[in-house]
Amino acid sequence: MTTKRLIGIFLSAVVLAGPPALAAEKGSAAQLDGEARVALNDLYANTPAAKALGQKATAILVFPKVTKAGFVIGGQYGEGALLKGGKSAGYYSTTGASYGLQAGAQTYGYAMFFMNEKAVGQLDKAQGFEVGIGPSVVVMDEGMARSTTTTTMKDDIYAFIFSQKGLMAGIGLQGNKISRIDPK
């Protein structure tokens, strides 16, 4: 078996099983709701383009806190809420694994703005939504968010990363999966 194949098998196993070392105690539905709403309001206050996009989105999946750590092999985990019409419509976890030249730890949040029902429907297909497979996801950085208007946005999903703390540096292969959860 080649090294690339072993790395692929390992990354697949970690993404499917979730990185247990990063999985803190599950939050309650009420806790996830509150944290997601606070995080989204903070994002809106700091990024006007996100607020404008939120008014057009079919649903918004908010992960208020994702923890990522690694040294050569890394993982990430976070939990969030899907907001649809101002109400929680489901709860999800994000898990990921990476392999490569990397070291550090960080926390951050991210929000995914689903612009149509077809994109929202991808969340619950098969064994979870794999970022990079299926609908197109555009990650908005600060410069792009400033120069984009809601009339120029034509993709299925837009993602904003916010509240980054810590330092994680490196390059490598990474996979990320979003799966439905049932909080307490």
Side-chain angles (χ1 to χ4, degrees):
M1 211 179 263
T2 68
T3 304
K4 286 182 182 179
R5 178 169 267 174
L6 287 173
I7 292 169
I9 291 169
F10 171 77
L11 289 176
S12 297
V14 172
V15 168
L16 291 174
L22 295 175
E25 185 178 324
K26 279 187 168 186
S28 68
Q31 179 183 355
L32 287 174
D33 286 342
E35 291 172 357
R37 290 178 200 288
V38 167
L40 186 59
N41 286 333
D42 287 348
L43 175 62
Y44 284 170
N46 294 311
T47 312
K51 185 172 186 176
L53 193 58
Q55 294 170 350
K56 304 255 185 198
T58 300
I60 305 166
L61 180 56
V62 182
F63 292 101
K65 183 179 178 184
V66 178
T67 302
K68 180 178 184 177
F71 184 75
V72 181
I73 297 172
Q76 66 183 37
Y77 184 83
E79 293 180 346
L82 179 68
L83 306 174
K84 200 171 180 181
K87 298 180 192 236
S88 293
Y91 302 96
Y92 293 82
S93 67
T94 179
T95 58
S98 55
Y99 175 82
L101 187 59
Q102 62 183 332
Q106 72 176 158
T107 61
Y108 60 93
Y110 73 93
M112 298 177 76
F113 293 77
F114 292 82
M115 303 311 293
N116 54 57
E117 282 296 335
K118 182 179 175 189
V120 175
Q122 293 293 317
L123 276 174
D124 295 322
K125 278 198 167 181
Q127 298 298 314
F129 177 79
E130 293 183 49
V131 176
I133 299 174
S136 60
V137 178
V138 177
V139 178
M140 303 290 286
D141 64 19
E142 195 171 318
M144 182 184 257
R146 275 198 209 116
S147 65
T148 305
T149 67
T150 55
T151 56
T152 62
M153 295 183 170
K154 305 290 183 213
D155 289 291
D156 295 322
I157 304 169
Y158 292 89
F160 289 84
I161 298 170
F162 55 89
S163 300
Q164 292 176 286
K165 295 180 181 123
L167 180 63
M168 184 79 184
I171 55 173
L173 302 171
Q174 181 170 331
N176 187 34
K177 187 171 184 176
I178 297 171
S179 303
R180 188 179 266 282
I181 59 172
D182 186 20
K184 301 175 200 170

